[in-house]
Amino acid sequence: MIETTVEPKYRAFSLHNFRSIPQMELLTEEELFDIEVVGNVLPFKVNNYVIDELINWEDYQDDPIFRLTFPHRDMLRTAHFKQMADTLRHTDKRKDIKQVANEIRLQLNPHPAGQMQMNVPEIDGIKLTGVQHKYRETVLFFPSSGQTCHSYCTFCFRWPQFTGMDELKFAMKETELLVRYLEKRQEVTDLLFTGGDPMIMRHKVFSQYIEPFLANENKTNIQTIRIGTKSLSYWPYKFVTDPDADDFLRLFERIVKRGINLAFMAHFSHPVELETEVVQEAIRRLRSAGVQIRTQSPVLRHINDSAEVWADMWRKQVNLNCIPYYMFVERDTGAKHYFDLPLERAWNIFRDAYQQVSGVCRTVRGPSMSCTPGKVQILGVTEVAGKKVFALRFIQGRNPDWVAKPFFAEYDPRASWMKDLKPAFGEKFFFEEELARLYMKKAAKPEHETLKMEISEN
Ligand SMILES: *Cc1c(COP(=O)(O)O)cnc(C)c1O
Ligand code: SF4
């Protein structure tokens, strides 16, 4: 148990006050300016736990958590960096800075097209804009009060949701519509709360979203509630010393007692996030409330691009009774050029790490790309009929029939995302025609006229 007499108080830092972080004295004026330039385009928010417990300031420039949370000049392309730097040198008008920021953001593929247009369901003619239903069994829900996080990851593809561009924001006020939709869709067994980070919510707000599923009159077929969260990495006090920590644990217990499987899809990027006393205590408390913790993260250059880091992380997770779940490939938005790795390298990291751990850690699957047709796993580089190829398979498919069928792409040492891949045999991948048909069907509405067929995006 952690003995604390004072509750650690959450303090957030972003552009307007980060210079008051004591550790900023270690940085040069140029580095501070770089943070301002990039932080005006990409999300930037960090808190006292991340600063004081996770970052090793003696080596901050190469520190994985510093890289994960603090903007770096190379995260913007040179021209974009210069454009914003010049703007900041010439004006301090919020409006002008914002306009330049938005111009740059729109060039960073902020909203993979398919995500906006293909997955938003309707009920009785009403668009459920805070809901995505892509895979038959699982519905993603973006509660409007969960669209922020305790800190921001600089690589995050969710960043358009944080940056005040309302037209890009997924949000939905009522659970009511969601429940109505789920009642009609008995094939949906899993409800996945996501964001942002739903665990940013106070218990009072979060329980509003959950109560309908605990009520006797609930007629949905929800058997698993998942919560996608990085709170265990960024603010584990949430479940230990925050004023409503115990209320959360009691709510979680009620969900589990109701016979619903409750799973945290916990985002851990590096083993250091598992090493503090308070995160270990938070995991113990969640586990004793009956919460399952499954773990996932993208593999990222500068942060966790080594097999040793992943093997160490999976082993530590299992030792804390967490279940390794996914290794993702960073998707093609935002600062991808800074973080991305060739698919072959991602696979080698996965394979080397997987070989180092025992079977209990091998519940993990990856590296996986979440793109328009589904979640595509890179099984490896191999040879078929004398030709060097990537072997791939769907872990999830827009059509469930696609899942677990191996297929092949031409070997390309520079490929880093689905859009870089070409079929190894024949003209098209086996799923392409059907995907195009699904796409046309959804895009039949006039406002989607300009929609282009893309297989690289969500
Ligand atoms: C990953 C994902 C899910 C969940 O998939 P599982 O393989 O069941 O974890 C659901 N919906 C979307 C859109 C996803 O990307
Ligand atoms: S915690 Fe999750 S949603 Fe929030 S910035 Fe990081 S990756 Fe994005």
Side-chain angles (χ1 to χ4, degrees):
M1 289 295 285
I2 289 187
E3 303 292 340
T4 33
T5 40
V6 221
E7 283 158 11
K9 202 168 162 341
Y10 175 79
R11 284 198 62 201
F13 300 90
S14 56
L15 275 186
H16 73 280
N17 65 346
F18 79 97
R19 283 175 182 262
S20 71
I21 301 170
Q23 287 89 338
M24 288 301 103
E25 278 179 20
L26 297 164
L27 277 67
T28 64
E29 180 51 39
E30 198 189 341
E31 285 174 317
L32 293 171
F33 182 65
D34 290 351
I35 291 175
E36 262 158 22
V37 172
V38 180
N40 265 296
V41 180
L42 301 177
F44 173 41
K45 179 164 92 178
V46 63
N47 70 57
N48 49 324
Y49 171 75
V50 174
I51 292 166
D52 295 331
E53 309 287 333
L54 298 186
I55 295 173
N56 172 12
W57 288 96
E58 277 170 25
D59 188 22
Y60 70 90
Q61 281 165 331
D62 290 320
D63 183 85
I65 308 300
F66 182 76
R67 282 281 148 266
L68 181 65
T69 51
F70 281 84
H72 185 279
R73 68 175 290 140
D74 295 343
M75 289 175 191
L76 288 184
R77 300 208 181 267
T78 318
H80 288 155
F81 184 91
K82 191 169 173 304
Q83 191 186 358
M84 182 49 87
D86 289 347
T87 308
L88 292 185
R89 283 192 197 101
H90 291 112
T91 182
D92 52 9
K93 280 201 197 114
R94 292 296 314 145
K95 195 169 144 273
D96 297 349
I97 297 171
K98 217 170 155 178
Q99 195 188 331
V100 173
N102 284 347
E103 252 171 57
I104 298 174
R105 284 175 193 149
L106 285 171
Q107 295 168 48
L108 299 177
N109 194 12
H111 240 108
Q115 191 170 324
M116 277 287 256
Q117 333 235 353
M118 263 185 107
N119 306 323
V120 176
E122 283 184 24
I123 183 161
D124 307 333
I126 307 167
K127 270 212 158 75
L128 280 74
T129 50
V131 173
Q132 275 187 43
H133 189 185
K134 179 170 174 182
Y135 306 128
R136 190 172 55 196
E137 288 80 15
T138 304
V139 158
L140 246 52
F141 179 47
F142 299 74
S144 55
S145 328
Q147 298 309 305
T148 181
C149 311
H150 291 99
S151 284
Y152 292 152
C153 312
T154 40
F155 70 82
C156 182
F157 67 90
R158 297 271 160 83
W159 54 269
Q161 296 174 75
F162 313 136
T163 47
M165 291 176 77
D166 276 351
E167 71 269 31
L168 290 176
K169 185 168 165 174
F170 290 100
M172 194 175 86
K173 280 269 188 265
E174 305 100 2
T175 327
E176 203 188 305
L177 274 178
L178 172 69
V179 171
R180 258 166 63 196
Y181 179 74
L182 294 175
E183 281 174 351
K184 286 201 179 163
R185 299 296 185 109
Q186 292 293 308
E187 70 273 24
V188 179
T189 54
D190 288 37
L191 174 60
L192 203 168
F193 284 84
T194 182
D197 190 333
M199 285 296 101
I200 198 83
M201 282 186 249
R202 305 257 155 265
H203 167 264
K204 228 177 147 169
V205 180
F206 182 71
S207 59
Q208 297 297 315
Y209 290 106
I210 292 291
E211 287 300 340
F213 296 94
L214 302 179
N216 284 330
E217 58 272 22
N218 182 270
K219 291 194 182 59
T220 70
N221 186 28
I222 294 303
Q223 299 171 37
T224 284
I225 292 179
R226 309 196 222 173
I227 301 170
T229 181
K230 201 170 168 67
S231 54
L232 286 167
S233 301
Y234 280 164
W235 193 251
Y237 301 110
K238 175 90 184 168
F239 311 104
V240 182
T241 53
D242 272 6
D244 54 2
D246 292 343
D247 296 329
F248 265 107
L249 295 177
R250 278 196 298 269
L251 177 67
F252 294 157
E253 272 170 11
R254 279 177 58 217
I255 299 174
V256 175
K257 285 218 175 87
R258 183 73 212 233
I260 296 174
N261 167 240
L262 176 59
F264 265 42
M265 310 307 288
H267 173 195
F268 288 109
S269 321
H270 194 276
V272 75
E273 296 167 326
L274 296 151
E275 285 164 10
T276 68
E277 230 179 294
V278 62
V279 72
Q280 297 184 3
E281 178 65 9
I283 291 171
R284 269 194 294 275
R285 299 190 94 211
L286 288 167
R287 296 284 303 121
S288 34
V291 181
Q292 231 172 33
I293 303 172
R294 297 180 183 270
T295 60
Q296 57 189 29
S297 169
V299 55
L300 303 159
R301 199 147 54 90
H302 302 295
I303 301 207
N304 57 21
D305 54 338
S306 100
E308 282 61 41
V309 164
W310 281 87
D312 182 25
M313 184 157 73
W314 292 334
R315 192 61 245 183
K316 285 201 166 87
Q317 287 166 355
V318 168
N319 295 354
L320 293 165
N321 288 304
C322 302
I323 309 164
Y325 192 67
Y326 273 138
M327 175 201 269
F328 289 117
V329 178
E330 159 67 348
R331 71 175 64 200
D332 58 343
T333 82
K336 171 150 167 98
H337 66 278
Y338 180 81
F339 291 109
D340 77 349
L341 295 162
L343 296 178
E344 183 178 24
R345 173 94 187 107
W347 165 64
N348 271 315
I349 292 170
F350 180 87
R351 185 172 66 133
D352 288 355
Y354 197 81
Q355 287 174 354
Q356 290 176 42
V357 293
S358 83
V360 290
C361 302
R362 292 185 183 166
T363 47
V364 67
R365 290 156 305 154
S368 162
M369 290 177 281
S370 223
C371 40
T372 302
K375 280 192 168 66
V376 176
Q377 180 182 17
I378 298 108
L379 290 171
V381 176
T382 186
E383 217 169 89
V384 175
K387 189 174 178 168
K388 201 171 179 186
V389 296
F390 282 114
L392 308 157
R393 69 161 193 160
F394 283 101
I395 296 176
Q396 280 285 10
R398 203 171 276 284
N399 178 347
D401 285 346
W402 300 346
V403 172
K405 239 197 254 181
F407 64 102
F408 302 98
E410 269 179 24
Y411 171 73
D412 176 351
R414 284 157 314 158
S416 71
W417 192 249
M418 192 67 185
K419 69 170 184 320
D420 306 329
L421 296 179
K422 292 182 183 58
F425 309 102
E427 299 264 289
K428 288 185 172 167
F429 289 120
F430 77 90
F431 54 85
E432 272 188 75
E433 272 180 21
E434 192 180 346
L435 181 69
R437 275 201 303 280
L438 291 170
Y439 222 95
M440 293 320 287
K441 214 160 74 188
K442 302 260 179 177
K445 308 220 167 95
E447 73 261 34
H448 299 149
E449 253 168 17
T450 56
L451 208 62
K452 280 203 302 281
M453 158 75 189
E454 289 243 17
I455 58 161
S456 63
E457 297 166 329
N458 196 36

